[in-house]
Amino acid sequence: MQRLATALVFCGLLLSCGGGGGDGGTPTVATPAQTIVTGSVQAPAGQIAFFRERSFGNLFISEAYAALTGLANVPDSTIVELAKLDSTAANFTVLSTTTTSGGRYSFNLTTLGLQPSHDLIVRVAGPGGKELRAFVVGTAINLSPVSETAYRLAIQSLAGGPLSNLTLQEVSDIGGAVGLIATLQNIGNATAIDQAVALVRTAVDANAQVSAFITAAGGIGQTTQGTGDVGNYFPLSQGNSWNYQGKKSESGLPTETYVNTVNVNGTLVVAGSVATILTSSDSGGDHISEDEYVVKDASSVVYLGNNDRSDPISPALVPYMSLHFPLHVNNMFEQVNRNGLSLDVDGDGINETVNISSTVSVIGFENIAVTAGSFANTAKVRTETTFVVNNGTSIIGTQISWFAPGVGVVKYQTTVASGGVIRTLVEELTSYQGDGTVQGALPGVIVNTGPTSGIEVIPGKASIASNGTDFLVTGCTALGSNPGIFGIFITGLGKIGSQMPIATGDCLPEIVAKPSVAFGGSNYLVVYHQTLPFGVNKLIRGKRVSEGGVALDGSDGLLVSDATIADRCCAAVGFDGTNYLVVWSERGTSDEKIYGARIAPNGQNLGVFPITNAIPGQQFRPKVAFDGTNYLVIWSESNFVTTGEDISGARIAPTGTVLDPGGFRIATTTFHDRNPDIAFGGSNYLVVWENVEPLGTFANYRIRGTRISKTGTLMDGPASDGGIPINVTTHEKRTPSVTFDGSQFLVVWTVGQNSFVPQGSIVGTKVGSNGQVAPLQPNPGGFLFSDQPPPLTKYLVPSIFSLGSKTITTWASRHENTGISQIIGTYSIP
């Protein structure tokens, strides 16, 4: 995968190629024509016993400053020395001095006739042997207890041997590795330089790979050992996957969007090396799947090529080095320098003579936010490449990639200029899983569900529950050898398990459909409706699923409803700590009512009972939540005055007693109040729904909600007022879902055409226990809970479920032309 391997992806924008590179040799530290060394000087509390130049004469006096906690810039006018070490590193000669301003210093090496070298150092010192030192291995050299630790470790590695044993690359990598360890680990605060150095030293000593490299660096010549990928910026564990949203543009043409998924997909022996296979579903937006082969060791990532037969360039250049470890700001190397290559780069059957050169450099570390989340300390890596073809074509490209520790590439952008045409390629991470952690998202598709017949019906909303550690996602699929109700476990670290059949049947004509799931102390209970032969009768059935993923209760499952002839639908389930409560709607000869049944943890049916038989009219599509004392069951009901829908509810005791036999009204506005959902938030419930006006045309969809106390009292005004205006912007909003994450409610919905966020996205907001809606920033459309849908695709019917601070949001993805649907989702919240 080129954006992970830092290959020369830009050439694929203009030429028929997939990558490029160098010879995979040891990198050299390149320097610009005008070499200016600059950096910060920091010490505990900004204070070090240092020499300060007096304003009169050339006299120096010692001024000691008290040491305090933490690092800060030293005062202005602190003297910084540029010095050359002798052959034993026991003594040095001062070559130049300067003073700090704003905590920084600089030296122009070019005017001094110098270049970075293994024996060139910068130094700040004071009486009593207090020093901050660093090797001048590049142009960005910061002085601090971290650099002092790296300096001492490098000198210590010599074990009395000559300084010439250390190469420029070795001292550069020691400083880079120590700096990364100090940045990425919480090593504590210090009140003095020696204490700070000791803390950094302890952290470095705990890294066996880096410690071994430092020891080996003291030997003669460049060591063949490496520091390893400090920070794990390039994770390659099998099963890792990354999903990207891509954009490709060219001067004067519309921007193209695409989605690319990259998987670590096994190994292959390439040119005698065992390479890791990186499979891209749509590499560079060319709608072609591609395998690329890389080798990662303790020193580097080397690119070995790809399976793209239309790529004439990579075979002429591989192997080449993509990254050199550790990643640090003085890490710069020549990746390619090849002249006179005879290649057919334009695909016309005639070879051209091509000169290719490129350099790779780490230009800094920064925090970055993309769809998948916010990532700190990302390494910003730049690849600059030039193609010169004998036909006069000159192509200049720049690629910037952001690597996040433990994650990999979270964003890359490539710009290519040739013949007055500028082309760009940008990919941003939308979701990923890797190396046992997930910081932001599930890896896209959870399951393919097949063709749909109205996505709100099939596959409908997924249902999610948790045992306090992991999640179980349930839904219905028309694909595979066991179509019907399925379950998939997602661990607390975001790893997706295998699809598990629960109830076999056909989702499309609704032989089985609409599952709901709750955890009951030792097992999950999944409930659904089952259509009997000839479609005359629908039963409500259930199956228990163990925490280990075993579906219990045989092929037929538990009979939850009675067996009388009726059209039953839309079961929902809750758990009160002792038994489950299953509720559903049941259509008789003239009306539709809500029924319930208590199910014991062992699967015993404790009896069916009516919930709304005392209420006139039609009641349907119930939902249920438990507040620690009683259940609250809510439902939609027909409003015969407006031919629309209202929302009502009733409390149910764990014994099955209906505490509100006549029910109570929740939403009775003059508009269409429908598709409710419910969650309990520790002290009160939040019920959310669609509020649609005007009736008949459905021109405006609002999301409203109301809090309900444990006693059944509406807390946000009468039912006729519409409660809390969660989102009342004038665009389509559908099928809300709500959860409570331990501190606030999270409400999500799907959004139609609007000017705020991408059409068909899943958006939402946060609602406090006090009913306060979070400001809808960065736009009035709501927070994005999903990525942008691919072309001709809409995201619909979201479900959201929280396990404390961990939240899963799922939704159905439907392609407008094919009708094919998938259930996909994200992990955590915006």
Side-chain angles (χ1 to χ4, degrees), residues 453-595:
S453 62
I455 201 165
E456 292 185 25
V457 178
I458 301 297
K461 285 190 175 187
S463 184
I464 312 168
S466 175
N467 64 353
T469 302
D470 302 321
F471 300 86
L472 176 61
V473 177
T474 61
C476 197
T477 178
L479 300 179
S481 59
N482 292 291
I485 306 298
F486 68 86
I488 292 180
F489 281 99
I490 299 175
T491 71
L493 294 175
K495 292 285 188 179
I496 295 179
S498 300
Q499 184 175 330
M500 173 184 62
I502 295 176
T504 301
D506 196 335
C507 300
L508 205 55
E510 298 187 70
I511 301 302
V512 293
K514 298 180 175 65
S516 178
V517 61
F519 183 71
S522 57
N523 296 305
Y524 297 87
L525 178 62
V526 181
V527 296
Y528 51 94
H529 77 240
Q530 179 190 53
T531 303
L532 295 182
F534 310 109
V536 177
N537 194 16
K538 290 182 180 179
L539 303 176
I540 302 300
R541 289 195 176 275
K543 281 193 179 180
R544 292 172 299 151
V545 177
S546 73
E547 294 177 276
V550 177
L552 309 174
D553 306 312
S555 59
D556 291 334
L558 307 169
L559 179 61
V560 177
S561 64
D562 59 37
T564 59
I565 295 177
D567 187 4
R568 301 176 180 87
C569 177
C570 312
V573 61
F575 185 72
D576 58 29
T578 301
N579 298 305
Y580 299 97
L581 175 64
V582 183
V583 295
W584 66 91
S585 57
E586 186 169 313
R587 182 179 291 117
T589 56
S590 60
D591 55 17
E592 190 168 2
K593 300 298 180 185
I594 306 299
Y595 285 81

Side-chain angles (χ1 to χ4, degrees), residues 790-802:
L792 299 177
T793 302
K794 291 184 178 179
Y795 294 159
L796 300 166
V797 289
S799 291
I800 189 167
F801 184 91
S802 291

Side-chain angles (χ1 to χ4, degrees), residues 30 98 140 344 430 447 470 516 539 574 581 611 635 700 718 739 809 826:
T98 188
D344 179 13
T430 58
V447 65
D470 302 321
S516 178
L539 303 176
L581 175 64
I611 294 176
W635 58 82
N700 186 25
T739 189
T809 309
T826 61

